[in-house]
């Protein structure tokens, strides 16, 4: 039996069959074989009543699958409303095709198809129907979207450009970059992770989805990153990894699920660099497929470049912060950071009503060590000290290097003072736990400590530090290992400050004057010279002896200028006296070690004695053994040039500094002045006498003159004469006198007849 070929459309829909029949064979040609997708659907239910072959091809559904669906089923949920409205707009009076633009349809495989639709109401018997002709505009839509996306990317890029100059911290940079990517770039989610040692740390996240930093952090920590995940690959290779259709990468889909991100169609892992090192990754997720290609990738590459640049820029800034808050030598906190931390410590202590202690530790003679070992050596010593202190300070947060050889230590949560003084018994606080090795040598450093207690000695960090400093100064002055702050110390510090102020004024106003004390030649009893001794003629304090202000002038460095004036004044006095007809008399001037360390010291002296340099200017210098600390060679060179000018040099306070006399022959000197302490004990202490005797004969063997100072009794003088001491100075003859009194004394002595006993009575008695 021969079967007649059934027309396809007839099968299920009688109304269509009726319509097709009415159309005749033209329907077959117009509908079935049309290269454009077409369908007939119910205007009431939107169900497909018939579809052509081109529609089957375009959408991927079989004809039967189509006929089981409605128009609602081939559009995304968010277009349903529009579709409903469109279907309701039925206008029976209209004839011809109606055009409706920009519909998004989904193929069977889930991909998107953009279409314009021309529809025509079919007037047939029964239910109303429509014929639709579908025009695929996906290509056009795609290029439109690409343009829009490019526009959005460039908005992101210019936003990030602005961030480069604006962002002050990494945190702000990352947060803002993610926000821009989502709000301006239209991404579903953006997040950034940084490589922190061997850890990956998510640092910022922004998105319209539920994923937050916590979720990302947990996801990273949980199972970690699979080695083949885009982020892992991007970090490893330093290349961006794009996935333009997440369905083709099931692993990634799982990742997104783990992050709680839905609707992701494509993603990008874009590495970030600091220098040439991969320092992090920018992760972007988009709701469409095929986003990360061509131009977009180029722009996103630039965005990442900007973020990278900014990271580097901020890192440098943070390095500056580091320098502002940390000591580059020991890597401990510096004074600024210590002050900040103290503020936190005191807040905490206040809350729990506990005390805390601030310790300032000062390395003794650190300046000299630094000079002797050089910068590098000094730094190495500081590092070693810092390490040892860390051991007792209870952690690096409690310790800071405050300045030069000074360290600050915070002892938090202090229950009793006894507890603290107990702690401070540990010898490490004063001998730093024994010698420090440096360059094959062993160096024993000692320390002094000043302590201030919160809240008794202050509740502000600055006050506490200042009071610890006052205690430290006292400890240094009294030779104590440590001292707790007392109110009197502040008074002492205030006094010191006001003294410094007044001394500056004194120098500016010329309040320093020279007094003169005669020196006597022991063999002939005649005045053979004088020592110039400085006095401060203070309008408020009267005549102030040098012991009260010379050490302060030395600390202040002002001694250099005051000493220069003393030299000039003594040289001028010599000239004045000779102009007054007195026989020329050498005047000794005391020179501080600090003056001798000045490179221009020789020139200063030359300026003071003027044209008399090289002849006999009748000026002598008194220097102490402490000048030999530091750069001895330079000092010795200077002393040689001083002697070349005809200026003799005496070592003052001889016997009190170095126990060894072996250095004496190396020095370019002319005389030694035996310290007063030996003269005092001369008459009643056999040991002292033998020391003085040794000094005198040793000095003589080297051709040096010997002067005894502080001679107060005849008995002392008798011994000195016996031991063949050359000259003497002391209250036995005269105190130091103001210039006019001294000149009067000189005149009396010099005008006496040559055979008069002068001061010979002294020697005879
Ligand atoms: P010095 O150089 O050892 O000066 C000797 C000190 O001993 C002087 O004290 C003097 O007045 C005192 N003296 C002298 N004979 C006797 C005595 O028989 N018995 C006692 N008890 N004391 C005596 P002065 O004038 O108070 O000077 C103290 C120190 O000040 C000096 O010690 C010196 O180191 C320093 N000095 C004084 N003038 C200057 C100066 O112009 N420049 C520098 N750098 N230091 C100076
Ligand atoms: Ca002296
Ligand atoms: Ca002396």
């Amino acid at each position: 039996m021969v079967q007649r070929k059934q027309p396809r459309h007839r099968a299920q829909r009688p109304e269509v069959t009726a319509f097709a029949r009415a159309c005749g064979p033209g329907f077959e040609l117009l509908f079935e074989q049309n290269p454009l997708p077409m369908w007939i659907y119910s205007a009431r239910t939107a169900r497909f009543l018939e579809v052509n072959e081109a529609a089957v091809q375009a959408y991927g559904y079989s004809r039967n699958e189509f006929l089981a669906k409605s128009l609602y089923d081939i559009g995304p949920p968010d277009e349903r409303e529009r579709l409903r409205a469109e279907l309701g707009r039925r206008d029976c009076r209209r004839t011809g095709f109606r055009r409706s633009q920009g519909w998004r349809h989904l193929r069977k495989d889930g991909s998107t198809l953009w279409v314009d639709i021309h529809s025509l109401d079919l007037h047939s018997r029964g239910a109303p129907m429509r014929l639709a002709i579908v025009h695929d505009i996906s290509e056009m839509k795609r290029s439109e979207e690409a343009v829009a996306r490019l526009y959005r990317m460039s908005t992101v890029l210019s936003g990030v450009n602005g961030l480069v100059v604006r962002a002050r911290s990494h945190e702000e940079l990352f947060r803002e970059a993610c926000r821009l990517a989502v709000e301006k770039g239209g991404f579903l989610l953006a997040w950034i992770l940084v490589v922190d040692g061997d850890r990956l740390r998510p640092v910022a996240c922004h998105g319209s989805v539920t994923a937050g930093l916590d979720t990302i952090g947990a996801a990273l920590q949980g199972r970690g990153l699979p080695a083949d995940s885009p982020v892992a690959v991007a970090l490893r290779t330093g290349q961006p990894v794009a996935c333009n259709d997440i369905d083709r990468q099931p692993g990634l889909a799982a990742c997104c699920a783990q992050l709680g991100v839905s609707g992701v169609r494509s993603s990008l892992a874009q590495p970030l660099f600091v220098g040439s090192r991969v320092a992090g990754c920018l992760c972007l997720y988009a709701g469409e497929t095929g986003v990360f290609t061509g131009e977009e990738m180029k722009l996103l590459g630039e965005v990442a470049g900007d973020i990278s640049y900014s990271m580097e820029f901020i890192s440098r800034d943070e390095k500056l912060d580091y320098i502002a808050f940390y000591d580059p030598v020991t890597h401990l906190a510096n004074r600024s950071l210590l002050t900040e931390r103290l503020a936190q410590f005191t807040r905490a202590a206040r809350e729990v009503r506990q005390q805390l202690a601030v310790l300032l530790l000062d390395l003794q003679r650190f300046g000299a060590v630094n000079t002797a070992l050089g910068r590098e050596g000094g730094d190495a010593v500081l590092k070693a000290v810092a390490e040892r202190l860390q051991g007792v300070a209870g952690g690096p947060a409690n310790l800071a290097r405050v300045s030069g050889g000074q360290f600050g230590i915070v002892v938090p949560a202090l229950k009793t003072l006894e507890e603290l003084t107990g702690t401070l018994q540990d010898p490490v606080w004063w001998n730093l736990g024994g010698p420090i090795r440096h360059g094959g040598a062993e160096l024993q450093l000692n320390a002094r400590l000043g302590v201030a207690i919160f809240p008794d000695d202050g509740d502000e960090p600055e006050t506490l530090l200042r009071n610890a400093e006052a205690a430290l100064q006292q400890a240094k002055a009294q030779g104590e290992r440590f001292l707790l702050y007392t109110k009197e110390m502040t008074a002492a510090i205030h006094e010191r400050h006001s003294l410094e102020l007044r001394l500056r004024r004194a120098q500016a106003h010329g309040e320093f004057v020279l007094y003169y004390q005669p020196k006597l030649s022991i063999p002939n009893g005649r005045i053979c010279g004088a020592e110039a001794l400085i006095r401060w003629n203070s309008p408020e304090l009267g005549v102030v002896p040098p012991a009260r202000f010379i050490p302060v002038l030395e600390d202040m460095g002002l001694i250099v200028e005051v000493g220069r004036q003393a030299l000039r004044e003594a040289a001028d006095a010599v000239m004045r006296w000779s102009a007054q007809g007195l026989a020329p008399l050498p005047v000794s001037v005391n020179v501080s070690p600090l003056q001798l360390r000045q490179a221009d010291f020789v020139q200063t002296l030359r300026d003071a004695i003027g044209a008399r340099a090289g002849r006999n200017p009748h000026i002598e210098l008194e220097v102490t053994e402490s000048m030999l600390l530091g750069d001895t060679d330079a000092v010795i060179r200077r002393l040689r040039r001083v002697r070349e000018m005809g200026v003799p040099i005496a070592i003052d306070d001889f016997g009190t500094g170095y126990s060894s006399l072996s250095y004496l022959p190396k020095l370019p000197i002319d005389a030694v002045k035996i310290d007063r302490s030996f003269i005092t004990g001369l008459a009643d202490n056999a040991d002292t006498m033998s020391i003085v005797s040794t000094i005198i004969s040793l000095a003589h063997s080297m051709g040096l003159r010997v002067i005894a100072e502080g001679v107060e009794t005849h008995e002392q003088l008798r011994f000195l004469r016996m031991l063949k001491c050359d000259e003497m100075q002391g209250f036995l003859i005269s105190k130091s006198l103001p210039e006019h009194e001294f000149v009067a004394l000189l005149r009396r002595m010099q005008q006496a007849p040559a055979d008069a006993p002068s001061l010979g009575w002294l020697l005879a008695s």
Side-chain angles (χ1 to χ4, degrees):
M1 198 170 74
V2 178
Q3 288 246 322
R4 267 188 65 203
K5 196 180 169 199
Q6 298 279 326
R8 267 184 46 203
H9 50 264
R10 242 185 352 143
Q12 294 154 10
R13 308 291 180 197
E15 58 273 48
V16 178
T17 313
F19 174 72
R21 204 171 290 138
C23 290
F27 181 77
E28 172 80 15
L29 210 64
L30 269 172
F31 187 83
E32 286 292 353
Q33 293 181 27
N34 201 309
L36 294 176
M38 288 174 82
W39 51 65
I40 295 168
Y41 66 95
S42 156
R44 203 173 289 143
T45 61
R47 286 187 73 89
F48 291 103
L49 302 174
E50 191 54 275
V51 294
N52 71 356
E53 185 56 25
V56 168
Q57 294 301 322
Y59 284 79
Y61 294 113
S62 70
R63 178 171 170 268
N64 283 340
E65 281 168 332
F66 255 121
L67 296 186
K69 290 180 182 299
S70 76
L71 276 172
Y72 290 109
D73 298 323
I74 60 163
D78 52 359
E79 293 225 333
R80 280 196 188 140
E81 211 42 55
R82 181 181 167 207
L83 180 60
R84 213 184 316 279
E86 182 71 21
L87 292 175
R89 258 198 314 130
R90 187 168 175 227
D91 184 354
C92 297
R93 283 163 302 162
R94 282 193 54 168
T95 52
F97 279 98
R98 215 157 5 122
R99 188 170 173 214
S100 180
Q101 287 178 305
W103 291 93
R104 187 147 84 91
H105 285 173
L106 297 173
R107 294 189 182 93
K108 188 180 178 182
D109 66 5
S111 59
T112 301
L113 191 71
W114 287 92
V115 294
D116 282 353
I117 296 177
H118 284 86
S119 56
L120 180 73
D121 288 330
L122 300 180
H123 300 282
S124 74
R125 279 181 291 125
M129 300 185 298
R130 253 179 231 166
L131 171 74
I133 305 171
V134 179
H135 301 269
D136 183 347
I137 56 159
S138 298
E139 203 49 52
M140 192 184 80
K141 204 71 186 172
R142 252 194 295 279
S143 60
E144 260 177 35
E145 266 197 352
V147 169
R149 211 162 41 226
L150 277 182
Y151 175 76
R152 289 200 305 267
M153 293 307 141
S154 28
T155 319
V156 175
L157 180 59
S158 75
V160 171
N161 264 330
L163 263 187
V164 172
V165 280
R166 225 182 45 240
R168 300 311 308 150
S169 67
H170 281 134
E171 197 204 356
E172 183 188 354
L173 169 71
F174 297 146
R175 194 185 54 229
E176 277 297 282
C178 289
R179 189 186 63 77
L180 283 168
V182 171
E183 289 177 6
K184 303 281 183 206
F187 292 105
L188 287 178
L189 172 71
W191 59 283
I192 291 176
L193 67 75
V194 296
V195 182
D196 188 0
D198 49 8
R199 277 183 55 217
L200 301 178
R201 200 156 51 86
V203 286
C205 159
H206 196 94
S208 54
V209 288
T210 49
L213 274 185
D214 297 347
T215 333
I216 296 173
L220 286 183
Q221 286 206 328
R223 270 184 278 141
L225 277 178
D228 60 347
S229 68
V231 174
V233 176
L235 290 175
R236 200 166 52 238
T237 60
Q239 295 293 326
V241 179
C243 166
N244 274 307
D245 189 348
I246 212 155
D247 287 346
R248 304 207 177 144
Q249 206 148 349
L252 193 54
C255 254
C256 289
Q258 211 179 343
L259 296 181
V261 202
S262 56
V264 173
R265 309 290 319 152
S266 52
S267 78
L268 172 70
Q270 173 78 49
L272 303 170
F273 294 86
V274 167
S276 55
R277 179 179 66 88
V278 178
C281 190
L282 166 68
C283 307
L284 297 172
Y285 299 82
E288 310 96 60
T289 51
V291 170
F292 302 107
T293 50
E295 264 322 286
E296 282 93 335
M297 287 296 279
K298 235 169 94 188
L299 286 176
L300 287 170
E302 281 181 45
V303 168
D306 267 7
I307 299 176
S308 297
Y309 173 79
S310 195
M311 278 167 83
E312 211 168 320
F313 187 74
I314 293 171
S315 292
R316 238 174 290 146
D317 238 37
E318 286 177 348
K319 252 182 238 154
L320 286 182
D321 275 358
Y322 187 85
I323 293 168
F325 288 110
Y326 288 89
D327 162 40
V329 175
T330 60
H331 300 291
L332 293 177
N334 64 11
R335 192 184 172 108
S336 307
L337 186 54
L338 175 68
T339 313
E340 276 194 16
R341 286 188 181 157
L342 251 181
Q344 291 164 13
F345 277 126
T346 50
R347 246 196 315 277
R350 197 174 289 125
E351 271 170 23
V352 294
R353 292 170 178 276
Q354 264 179 337
Q355 297 178 298
L356 69 78
V358 181
L359 278 51
L360 266 190
L361 179 145
D362 184 79
L363 297 178
Q364 287 185 284
R365 296 197 309 117
F366 179 69
V369 168
N370 214 17
T371 315
L373 301 183
R375 229 344 247 291
E376 272 179 33
D379 285 358
V381 168
L382 284 172
K383 274 186 214 158
V385 171
E387 253 169 53
R388 293 193 180 179
L389 289 179
Q390 287 211 24
V392 283
N398 300 348
L399 184 62
R401 180 170 164 230
V402 181
S403 65
Q406 270 191 19
F407 293 81
I409 299 111
V410 182
V411 184
L414 197 64
K415 289 188 194 75
T416 61
L417 271 190
E418 289 67 41
E419 180 189 321
L420 176 72
T421 41
T423 307
L424 292 182
Q425 296 307 321
D426 188 332
V428 78
W429 291 113
W430 53 274
N431 74 5
L432 302 160
I436 289 169
R437 282 181 189 284
H438 178 75
E442 288 202 335
L443 195 76
Q444 178 56 57
L445 281 172
N446 292 324
R448 304 270 185 226
L449 276 172
V451 184
I453 307 288
F454 166 88
D456 289 0
D457 302 336
D459 49 10
E460 294 296 322
E462 279 301 340
T463 321
L464 285 166
L465 280 171
R466 206 172 44 238
N467 290 343
E469 168 85 39
L472 173 63
Q473 293 307 335
Q474 253 342 290
K476 278 159 73 174
Q478 297 175 13
E480 297 285 347
R481 287 179 191 167
F482 70 87
L483 276 186
L484 297 179
Y485 168 80
T486 64
K487 297 257 178 327
E488 292 70 45
M489 289 174 181
T490 300
I493 293 275
H494 278 308
E495 215 165 275
R496 164 77 186 225
H497 279 311
S498 86
L499 179 60
E500 287 185 5
L501 269 175
R502 280 195 255 179
L503 285 172
R504 272 188 210 290
R505 213 178 43 205
Q507 193 261 324
H509 293 187
E511 290 169 13
F512 296 115
V513 294
L514 289 183
Y515 274 39
Y516 298 91
Q517 187 180 31
K519 284 189 219 168
L520 195 78
S521 157
I522 296 180
N524 66 21
R526 290 185 179 276
I527 290 181
C528 59
E531 180 176 5
L533 291 160
I534 206 159
R535 296 288 177 270
W536 173 18
N537 240 335
S538 159
E540 296 128 13
L541 309 170
V543 177
V544 185
R548 279 187 50 197
F549 62 88
I550 293 278
V552 185
L553 288 180
E554 276 175 337
D555 275 2
M556 294 167 72
L558 203 57
I559 190 69
V560 174
E561 187 47 41
V562 173
R564 194 198 318 258
Q565 287 170 4
L567 264 175
R568 202 179 308 132
E569 174 53 27
D572 290 352
V574 170
M575 297 289 283
R576 269 199 301 277
W577 301 340
S578 105
Q580 289 168 19
L582 291 164
L585 188 77
V587 172
S588 302
V589 181
N590 292 283
V591 174
S592 141
L594 196 63
Q595 283 174 274
L596 274 180
R597 272 181 226 137
Q598 307 298 308
D600 66 350
F601 175 73
V602 177
Q603 189 55 46
T604 303
L605 178 64
R606 197 185 301 274
D607 291 345
I609 57 185
R612 291 168 295 150
R615 290 184 281 133
N616 184 0
H618 295 291
I619 287 289
E620 284 188 23
L621 300 188
E622 290 189 8
V623 296
T624 57
E625 293 155 308
S626 54
M627 71 178 175
L628 296 172
L629 276 175
D631 190 356
T632 320
D633 289 347
V635 168
I636 290 180
R637 266 198 310 277
R638 259 167 235 151
L639 292 183
R640 286 220 175 87
R641 292 173 56 202
V642 166
R643 289 178 83 212
E644 282 161 17
M645 279 191 268
V647 175
I649 295 161
I651 297 283
D652 203 354
D653 304 339
F654 188 78
T656 55
Y658 285 68
S659 45
S660 157
L661 298 177
S662 58
Y663 71 93
L664 260 191
K666 295 184 201 142
L667 294 181
I669 54 167
D670 305 275
V672 294
K673 273 185 103 170
I674 301 176
D675 189 68
R676 186 155 57 87
S677 56
F678 294 104
I679 308 304
T680 312
L682 198 57
D684 39 44
N685 188 318
D687 284 347
T688 310
M689 184 142 100
S690 93
I691 292 172
V692 171
S693 160
T694 308
I695 293 175
I696 293 175
S697 45
L698 187 85
H700 282 166
S701 74
M702 288 187 283
L704 304 175
R705 265 185 302 134
V706 183
I707 304 135
E709 69 177 358
V711 181
E712 294 184 353
T713 66
H714 288 99
E715 208 179 5
Q716 289 164 350
L717 176 60
R718 223 178 1 257
F719 276 112
L720 288 167
R721 196 165 41 148
M722 204 173 75
L723 296 173
K724 306 234 170 331
C725 183
D726 302 287
E727 297 168 21
M728 62 147 286
Q729 183 183 344
F731 292 173
L732 182 61
I733 304 164
S734 170
K735 290 186 173 183
S736 55
L737 301 169
E739 187 182 346
H740 67 277
E741 287 183 33
F742 178 72
V743 168
L745 173 73
L746 265 192
R747 190 156 279 139
R748 272 203 313 278
M749 305 291 292
Q750 291 186 357
Q751 282 170 359
D755 59 343
S758 70
L759 291 175
W761 59 269
L762 271 176
L763 307 174
S765 57

